Amino acid sequence: MMKRLWVGIIILLVFSNWVDGFEELHLNETAMYFFEAEAYGVSKPAMVPDALMVGLTLIQGAGAKGAVCLDGTLPGYHWHRGYGSGANSWLIQLEGGGWCNNIRTCVYRKKTRRGSSTYMEKEIAFTGILSNKAEQNPDFFNWNRVKLRYCDGASFTGDGEDKAARLQFRGQRIWLAAMEDLLSKGMHFAHQALLSGCSAGGLASILHCDEFRGLLPRTTKVKCLSDAGMFLDAADVSGGRTLRSMFGGVVGLQAVRNNLPHFCTNRLDPTSCFFPQNSIGDIKTPLFILNTAYDSWQVQSSLAPPSADPSGYWHYCRLNHEKCTPAQIQFLQGFRNEMLKALRHFSLSRQNGMFINSCFAHCQTERQDTWFADDSPVIGKKAIALAVGDWYFDRASVKVVDCPYPCDKSCHNLVFK
C-alpha cells in the first residue's frame, strides 16, 4: 500500500511540474519577445568591477492603496541616498521588462520578478546613470538615485483586475504609491529631479512625465528622459501591425485608458495614445529622447517577429545585423526614416533634447559601457552621459542624429545567439 502511495505522489509531482511549465511552453516565441523586452539575449554586459549594490525596499503602505504587483505582493524600489551637492537632487529610474497583453501571459509573468516582488533580486548593481562614481556618471553620481521595480506589465499605467485569474493590474497605483513614499522621504524638497526609464520604463517615463512635474514644487527643476522607449506604430515585415495588436491587448486588459495623457485620448483611440509618437509633441515638461535608430528589440519583436516571418527569412538578420541582406537593411533604413519623421515636431521645441544613434542596441543608460566609458558610443565625439548632462543642466542644446548605418563605428551592437 505504501509503495503504491509513493508511486502516486511521484506521478503527481511530475505532472504538477509539467503543468507549471505548460504556460511557458505554450507562450509562443513572439509572446516571449514581448515579455523579455528589457533583456538583451546573451549579450548582457559583464558586471562592472566594484559596482555599488543597493538593497530592495518594499513599499509598506502600498497594499492599503491597492498598489500591488500582478500577484498581489508589495511593489518595491532600490534607493541610494544622495550626498554633498546632490543631497537634494533626485533621479527616478523606471525599470523596463516588456508587457503582458492577455491572461495567459500575465499569469506566466506573475510567477517571475516582472510580476511579483517575491521573485525580485534582494539587491542589484547600480551602474551607468545609477552609478555612484563621478568617473562613471559625471553629472548624477551623488544624487538620490532610485530604481523603481516593474511588476505590473503595462508600463505603470493600468488600473484593473481579473479576479478569476487572481491578477491585479495596478501599475498606476504602484507609480503613485512609490512617488508618495519617496516624497515623504525627502523628494518633496528636491531642488532638481529627473524621471528616467529604459524600454517599457522609457515608455512609462514619457507617459508619466507631466504627472511627475505636477507632484513636485514649482521651484523644482524637473525634466524627463526616455531611453529606448520610442516604440513606433510601424508595419512589420508581413505588412501587419504586430506591436499595435500587442499594445491594444495591454490597454484593454489592464484598463489603461484613463491613465493615458488626456490631450491624446481626446483626439485618438487609447491604443494609439500608448505609442509615444502620438504624445511626445504635446508634453509640457522638458523631455529627452535617447534611442537607437535600429532598436534591437523593435527589430526582433515589432518589425520581424517570428509570427510575421513564418518562413524564417529574417531569422539570422533579426539576431545579428551583420547577416542582413541589402534588401533587409533597406527595410531597416525605412524604419529609421519613420522614427526621424515621428520626432520631427518634437525636435522643434527648444526645451527638448534627443540623441539618436545608428546602433543595433536597446537601453543605453543603465549599461556602463554605453552610458560613459572610454569606448562609449558617441555622436560628434560626445558620449551619451555628457549629452544628457549638457541638456539637463542647460549647458548646451542637444538634438543630435547619427548618420545612417553603417557609418558609426562607436556602437556597441548587440548580437543574439
Side-chain angles (χ1 to χ4, degrees):
M1 183 66 183
M2 286 298 293
K3 184 176 181 180
R4 287 181 180 177
L5 180 61
W6 277 110
V7 169
I9 291 173
I10 291 171
I11 291 173
L12 183 62
L13 287 172
V14 170
F15 178 75
S16 175
N17 287 335
W18 179 77
V19 170
D20 286 343
F22 197 76
E23 291 289 349
E24 181 175 1
L25 290 172
H26 282 70
L27 287 172
N28 63 37
E29 195 177 351
T30 302
M32 287 306 295
Y33 276 126
F34 284 129
F35 176 72
E36 296 293 347
E38 188 210 28
Y40 313 128
V42 297
S43 302
K44 290 185 179 180
M47 280 292 294
V48 176
D50 303 319
L52 174 71
M53 301 301 293
V54 180
L56 175 66
T57 298
L58 296 180
I59 305 171
Q60 296 301 326
K65 301 178 178 71
V68 293
C69 299
L70 285 172
D71 70 338
T73 54
L74 293 176
Y77 57 76
H78 304 258
W79 172 31
H80 188 248
R81 289 180 183 272
Y83 59 92
S85 62
N88 287 316
S89 297
W90 289 74
L91 167 68
I92 309 299
Q93 180 81 353
L94 303 179
E95 186 180 33
W99 310 269
C100 61
N101 67 326
N102 55 43
I103 296 300
R104 181 167 51 102
T105 52
C106 289
V107 166
Y108 174 82
R109 188 182 182 93
K110 77 173 183 177
K111 299 174 184 176
T112 75
R113 69 186 189 281
R114 301 292 185 224
S116 170
S117 58
T118 300
Y119 302 100
M120 290 177 185
E121 303 91 333
K122 301 311 176 195
E123 61 177 18
I124 61 173
F126 268 27
T127 59
I129 198 171
L130 295 172
S131 172
N132 66 328
K133 299 178 177 63
E135 64 272 20
Q136 297 177 353
N137 187 23
D139 283 309
F140 308 107
F141 71 96
N142 65 348
W143 284 32
N144 289 277
R145 299 168 326 286
V146 179
K147 183 163 186 175
L148 178 58
R149 300 304 296 267
Y150 180 38
C151 65
D152 63 276
S155 289
F156 298 93
T157 60
D159 194 6
E161 64 179 333
D162 189 295
K163 292 182 179 179
R166 297 181 180 178
L167 288 167
Q168 298 290 318
F169 305 123
R170 304 299 186 185
Q172 178 71 17
R173 297 191 193 193
I174 291 172
W175 155 259
L176 290 172
M179 293 304 102
E180 183 178 330
D181 194 56
L182 294 170
L183 286 166
S184 73
K185 292 180 177 177
M187 191 170 73
H188 180 72
F189 303 103
H191 297 158
Q192 304 175 120
L194 176 63
L195 176 66
S196 181
C198 151
S199 191
L203 172 58
S205 69
I206 294 172
L207 296 175
H208 286 298
C209 184
D210 282 343
E211 192 176 356
F212 183 64
R213 162 71 277 182
L215 293 171
L216 292 160
R218 294 182 64 182
T219 54
T220 307
K221 181 186 183 81
V222 179
K223 296 189 179 185
C224 305
L225 163 64
S226 172
D227 175 12
M230 190 64 189
F231 297 99
L232 287 190
D233 187 3
D236 59 40
V237 295
S238 71
R241 297 275 173 172
T242 297
L243 190 55
R244 184 173 184 85
S245 176
M246 168 66 178
F247 276 4
V250 174
V251 170
L253 176 69
Q254 300 212 30
V256 167
R257 179 185 182 123
N258 290 338
N259 299 319
L260 295 171
H262 294 306
F263 60 73
C264 184
T265 54
N266 286 339
R267 58 187 175 86
L268 295 174
D269 64 274
T271 300
S272 294
C273 293
F274 204 63
F275 282 97
Q277 68 200 74
N278 296 316
S279 60
I280 55 172
D282 295 302
I283 291 173
K284 295 182 176 63
T285 308
L287 173 63
F288 193 100
I289 299 292
L290 165 63
N291 233 90
T292 64
Y294 315 96
D295 184 276
S296 60
W297 184 87
Q298 292 193 62
V299 171
Q300 291 190 18
S301 307
S302 174
L303 298 182
S307 60
D309 180 39
S311 66
Y313 172 68
W314 278 83
H315 176 74
Y316 293 106
C317 173
R318 183 169 64 235
L319 301 178
N320 183 351
H321 65 283
E322 293 184 353
K323 297 184 178 180
C324 295
T325 67
Q328 289 170 329
I329 291 296
Q330 186 176 359
F331 181 89
L332 296 177
Q333 299 294 20
F335 176 74
R336 173 182 179 272
N337 291 339
E338 280 193 65
M339 179 167 292
L340 297 182
K341 182 180 178 181
L343 289 167
R344 191 172 300 157
H345 176 65
F346 168 84
S347 68
L348 297 177
S349 172
R350 294 179 60 187
Q351 68 178 11
N352 293 333
M354 63 185 198
F355 188 105
I356 310 297
N357 54 351
S358 293
C359 305
F360 287 82
H362 182 70
C363 287
Q364 299 179 92
T365 54
E366 294 177 7
R367 291 174 52 139
Q368 194 59 54
D369 65 324
T370 49
W371 173 247
F372 195 63
D374 291 340
D375 64 342
S376 293
V378 296
I379 300 179
K381 298 183 179 180
K382 184 173 289 188
I384 294 168
L386 299 181
V388 172
D390 282 352
W391 165 78
Y392 183 87
F393 292 102
D394 303 308
R395 296 190 294 246
S397 174
V398 181
K399 292 172 184 169
V400 289
V401 177
D402 215 348
C403 47
Y405 173 83
C407 71
D408 191 339
K409 306 305 179 186
S410 71
C411 289
H412 290 204
N413 293 313
L414 298 177
V415 176
F416 300 80
K417 293 182 179 178

